[in-house]
């Protein structure tokens, strides 16, 4: 997903949904790369947040710690639940 990040202007997206590589390092990198692309008040969402065998939960929790409130998006399959937070 880092291949296209430079083609997207900063502060141009109202929503991003991260659902590519589920490894901690990948999710952490996606959050760092794409955060600046989202407008203030925009939503950053990630899939499989509650699947603790993936690195999504850890990456999101660390990225948002003491800065952003993470909200759960429930799924019929609880481990596939997503999350989102709002960029101030």
């Amino acid at each position: 997903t880092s291949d296209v990040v430079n083609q997207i202007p900063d502060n141009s997206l109202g929503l991003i949904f991260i659902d590519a590589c589920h490894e901690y390092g990948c999710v952490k990198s996606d959050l760092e790369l794409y955060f600046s692309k989202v407008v203030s008040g925009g939503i950053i969402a990630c899939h499989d947040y509650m699947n603790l065998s993936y690195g999504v939960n850890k990456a999101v929790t660390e990225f948002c710690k003491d800065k952003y409130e993470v909200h759960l998006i429930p799924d019929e399959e609880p481990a596939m639940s997503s999350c989102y937070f709002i960029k101030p």
Side-chain angles (χ1 to χ4, degrees):
T1 55
S2 62
D3 298 345
V4 299
V5 71
N6 292 326
Q7 299 172 25
I8 302 170
D10 286 350
N11 299 305
S12 65
L13 302 174
L15 167 75
I16 62 168
F17 189 81
I18 297 172
D19 186 23
C21 174
H22 292 79
E23 296 174 12
Y24 167 79
C26 297
V27 178
K28 181 180 176 190
S29 176
D30 284 347
L31 289 167
E32 292 169 347
L33 287 170
Y34 285 91
F35 185 81
S36 67
K37 307 303 177 182
V38 177
V39 297
S40 178
I43 295 172
I44 298 154
C46 297
H47 191 236
D48 297 316
Y49 176 73
M50 293 305 295
N51 187 332
L52 301 182
S53 66
Y54 295 156
V56 179
N57 188 288
K58 181 179 178 186
V60 170
T61 299
E62 287 181 7
F63 188 84
C64 293
K65 186 176 181 177
D66 299 326
K67 295 183 286 187
Y68 317 111
E69 182 179 355
V70 178
H71 304 273
L72 189 64
I73 304 169
D75 191 282
E76 182 178 7
E77 177 61 41
M80 295 179 68
S81 295
S82 300
C83 72
Y84 75 94
F85 62 97
I86 298 172
K87 181 179 177 181

